[in-house]
Amino acid sequence: MREDEVISGEKPTQSFWGLWNISFGFFGIQIGFALQNANMSRVFQSLGSAIDDLPALWVAAPLTGLLVQPIIGHLSDRTWLGRFGRRRPYFMLGAVLAALSLFLMPLSDVLLMAALLLWVLDASLNVSMEPFRAFVGDMLRRDQHTAGYAVQTAFIGAGAVVGSIVPWVMSQIGVANIAADGGIPDTVRYSFWLGGALLFLAVLWTVLTTKEYSPSEMAQFDGGLPASGEAEQGQALASKSYLGSGVWIVAGAIVCLSVASFDLEKEMYLLGGLLVAYGILNAIAISLARGGNTTGMLTSIVGDFSGMPPIMKKLALVQFFSWSALFIMWINTTPVVTQYVYNSTDTGSAAYNEGANWVGWLFAVYNGVAAVAALTLLPWLSRKFGKAKTHIFGLLCGALGFASFFVIRDPELLLVSEIGIGIAWASILAMPYAILASSLPQAKLGIFMGLFNIFVVVPQLLVATVMGSIMQAFFPGEPIWTMAFAAGTLVLAALAMMRVEVPGESR
C-alpha cells in the first residue's frame, strides 16, 4: 500500500496515532521550555539577581537559538543515517544534553553557574526542537499540514502545563517551597529532575515509533525538490554588492557607540556586536560565492536567508512582533505578579514564593487553553475565515490578555487574562508554520524553518538588551509597564498579518 502511494507521488495519509507519534517528542521538549520559562527568573532572583538584571541573564536563551537553529536546519536537510533517519539523530542528541542540563541546573549555587547552564539547556532544546518543525513537513501530505501543526501545538500546550505546575504540585505534597539558605527551593529542584526524565522519554518515543522517508522516496513525492537549486542560490548571492554588508557593520558600530555615549544598558553591546558579526559573515559569504563555493554551510545559509520566499518575509515581521510580546511575558510575569498581586519583592518571603508558584499556574492555564484551542477553535476559525484572519483574531486576544494585567489585582481573575494569551499562543505556534509548510521547497524545509526562527530570536534579543534600558530610564522598579509593551507589540503583529496573502484566501 505504501509503495503504491509513493509511486503515485503522494505521501501516505497519517492516522491519528501517526500524527501522535510524529509530535509526541515535542511534549517533552516543551516541559523543558516551560520549566525554564516559569522558573529561571525565580532561580536567578534566588541566587541574588536584581529585577533590572534579568533581561541580561535571559539573553543566553534567544542567542543560542539564533546560532543553533539555522545550523541544525542546514545539517539535518543533508543528513541521512539509514535506519536512524534524517531528523531523529538531532532529536536524541538535544534530548540527552537537555536532560543533563535540567539535572544540573538546580544544583547551581552561584549566579554564573545558573546562567551558563541556561545557555547549555536552551542550546540543547533548540537542537531537538528545530528538526521537529521540519519533521512535520517531511512526514505529512500538504493537506495534513494544518492538522500536523495543530497536534504539535497541542503537545506543546500539554507539555507546558506539566512543566508549569510541577513546582506547585510539589509544594502541595509537602516538598519545601522555601530554601533555608535562601537559595533554590526543593520544589524547583525536584521539578527540574522530573522534567529532564520526562523530556528524554518523550523524545525517545518519537524516535522509536516513527520511520522517516529515504531521500529516494522524498524525491518521488509531489513537491519534493532536488538540492541542486543551491547552485542558483549561490549565484544570486555572488551577484550581490558588499554595500549591504557595510550597512550592517555600520549599524552595529552606531549601536555600540550609542551605548558608550548615552550610558545605555551594557547588554546593548551584544546587539551591536551581532549586527557587526552578521555584516562580516555576509561579506565572507559573498566572497566565497564569487570564488565558486556555493554549497558550503555559510554560503548556503546566507544565500537562503537573502532569498527567502515573499510570504516568509511577510510572516517574519509578524513573528518579530509576536515573540517580542512573549519574551516580555516570560521574563516579567513573576516580578509583576509577586509585586502587584502578592505585594512582595523579597525572594525569601512566603508571599513572594506563593506568587511565584501562582505564576506557574498562570502559565499552565495559557498553555492548557492553547492545547484545546489548537485542536478545536483554531481549526474551526481557519475553515470558516482562513488562516490569516484566524491568526489576526488570536493575536488580538493576546493583546487584551496582557492589557488586563493593569486592572486585575485578584490572582484568580488573572486566569481570565491567560485565556486570551493562550489563544494567541496557540495561533502563534500553529498558523505561521501551517502557512509556510505548504509554501516552502521540501528539500530545504529544515534550513528555512531554522531561518524562520531568526525572527523568533531577534525580538527576544532586542527585549533582553533594550527593555532593561527603557524600564530603567522611564519606569524604574515598575515592571507592570512591560505588559503595556507586550499588548502593543501584539497589536502591531496583527496589523502586520493583514499584509500576508495566503494562497486561496481573500485578504
Side-chain angles (χ1 to χ4, degrees):
M1 183 69 171
R2 173 169 163 165
E3 285 299 321
D4 292 340
E5 290 174 309
V6 169
I7 291 172
S8 71
E10 289 285 350
K11 295 175 186 174
T13 300
Q14 293 285 347
S15 66
F16 169 79
W17 289 111
L19 295 174
W20 176 289
N21 293 335
I22 287 169
S23 290
F24 186 70
F26 227 125
F27 171 74
I29 293 171
Q30 197 60 32
I31 289 176
F33 274 119
L35 285 168
Q36 170 185 296
N37 293 339
N39 294 283
M40 284 312 302
S41 287
R42 180 181 186 180
V43 169
F44 289 148
Q45 286 186 284
S46 296
L47 294 176
S49 171
I51 288 178
D52 292 337
D53 293 331
L54 290 179
L57 293 168
W58 271 86
V59 77
L63 181 59
T64 50
L66 178 66
L67 299 174
V68 168
Q69 290 217 22
I71 293 173
I72 295 299
H74 172 86
L75 293 175
S76 67
D77 281 341
R78 290 157 176 75
T79 297
W80 180 253
L81 299 179
R83 62 191 181 93
F84 297 106
R86 174 182 295 105
R87 317 289 183 187
R88 291 178 297 159
Y90 298 95
F91 298 166
M92 281 307 303
L93 174 63
V96 170
L97 294 175
L100 289 173
S101 300
L102 285 168
F103 177 79
L104 294 173
M105 180 71 73
L107 301 178
S108 303
D109 54 2
V110 294
L111 194 58
L112 178 60
M113 180 180 178
L116 290 174
L117 283 171
L118 174 61
W119 193 296
V120 176
L121 172 61
D122 205 82
S124 305
L125 291 172
N126 274 284
V127 168
S128 279
M129 181 182 74
E130 197 286 329
F132 262 103
R133 294 293 191 194
F135 192 52
V136 173
D138 289 345
M139 300 297 291
L140 299 181
R141 298 159 56 114
R142 292 178 186 273
D143 58 4
Q144 282 197 298
H145 283 163
T146 299
Y149 286 107
V151 171
Q152 190 174 91
T153 298
F155 276 126
I156 290 172
V161 168
V162 173
S164 297
I165 67 171
V166 167
W168 181 87
V169 173
M170 292 283 183
S171 70
Q172 297 303 300
I173 62 177
V175 178
N177 194 41
I178 302 175
D181 58 358
I184 300 172
D186 285 344
T187 51
V188 175
R189 192 185 308 272
Y190 297 156
S191 296
F192 273 57
W193 293 343
L194 176 62
L198 293 176
L199 184 157
F200 177 80
L201 292 174
V203 172
L204 184 64
W205 177 279
T206 288
V207 169
L208 295 178
T209 59
T210 57
K211 180 181 179 182
E212 297 184 68
Y213 298 115
S214 69
S216 60
E217 288 177 310
M218 293 294 287
Q220 298 178 60
F221 293 136
D222 181 35
L225 297 178
S228 59
E230 290 184 2
E232 289 77 8
Q233 199 84 327
Q235 292 170 6
L237 180 63
S239 67
K240 291 185 177 296
S241 166
Y242 289 108
L243 179 61
S245 303
V247 170
W248 287 107
I249 293 172
V250 171
I254 291 173
V255 170
C256 292
L257 289 173
S258 299
V259 176
S261 301
F262 300 105
D263 196 27
L264 302 177
E265 293 292 317
K266 298 299 184 287
E267 293 82 23
M268 290 190 67
Y269 278 122
L270 175 61
L271 176 61
L274 287 172
L275 294 174
V276 171
Y278 178 74
I280 294 172
L281 291 175
N282 189 67
I284 294 172
I286 292 173
S287 178
L288 290 172
R290 289 182 177 182
N293 184 352
T294 59
T295 59
M297 180 184 295
L298 180 59
T299 52
S300 294
I301 291 176
V302 173
D304 287 331
F305 181 71
S306 61
M308 289 187 298
I311 193 170
M312 184 173 170
K313 293 179 181 178
K314 292 180 180 179
L315 282 170
L317 184 61
V318 179
Q319 290 290 84
F320 177 87
F321 290 123
S322 302
W323 284 85
S324 295
L326 293 171
F327 201 61
I328 290 171
M329 173 186 70
W330 291 328
I331 292 176
N332 294 288
T333 300
T334 295
V336 167
V337 170
T338 54
Q339 180 172 331
Y340 293 92
V341 179
Y342 285 83
N343 301 310
S344 177
T345 57
D346 179 6
T347 59
S349 68
Y352 175 91
N353 283 280
E354 183 183 354
N357 276 357
W358 188 246
V359 170
W361 266 109
L362 295 178
F363 281 19
V365 168
Y366 89 72
N367 280 290
V369 169
V372 175
L375 296 177
T376 56
L377 178 63
L378 296 186
W380 178 78
L381 289 174
S382 182
R383 287 192 300 269
K384 191 171 182 63
F385 301 106
K387 296 183 183 70
K389 293 176 182 176
T390 297
H391 195 34
I392 291 170
F393 169 78
L395 293 169
L396 293 177
C397 285
L400 288 173
F402 286 125
S404 68
F405 271 74
F406 277 85
V407 296
I408 295 177
R409 292 296 177 265
D410 183 333
E412 293 185 359
L413 283 180
L414 285 176
L415 296 173
V416 179
S417 306
E418 299 301 323
I419 294 174
I421 295 171
I423 293 172
W425 179 229
S427 190
I428 290 167
L429 290 175
M431 288 301 147
Y433 296 99
I435 293 170
L436 277 180
S438 300
S439 306
L440 299 175
Q442 189 73 55
K444 292 191 174 184
L445 198 55
I447 180 59
F448 275 130
M449 288 294 185
L451 290 172
F452 193 56
N453 184 64
I454 289 175
F455 304 100
V456 170
V457 170
V458 169
Q460 296 181 53
L461 287 172
L462 285 174
V463 169
T465 56
V466 177
M467 184 59 68
S469 296
I470 294 174
M471 294 302 296
Q472 188 66 26
F474 299 103
F475 311 106
E478 298 182 61
I480 188 66
W481 287 98
T482 59
M483 293 301 166
F485 286 98
T489 53
L490 282 188
V491 171
L492 291 174
L495 292 173
M497 191 64 200
M498 295 177 68
R499 299 176 58 248
V500 177
E501 299 180 41
V502 180
E505 294 182 6
S506 61
R507 295 187 64 177

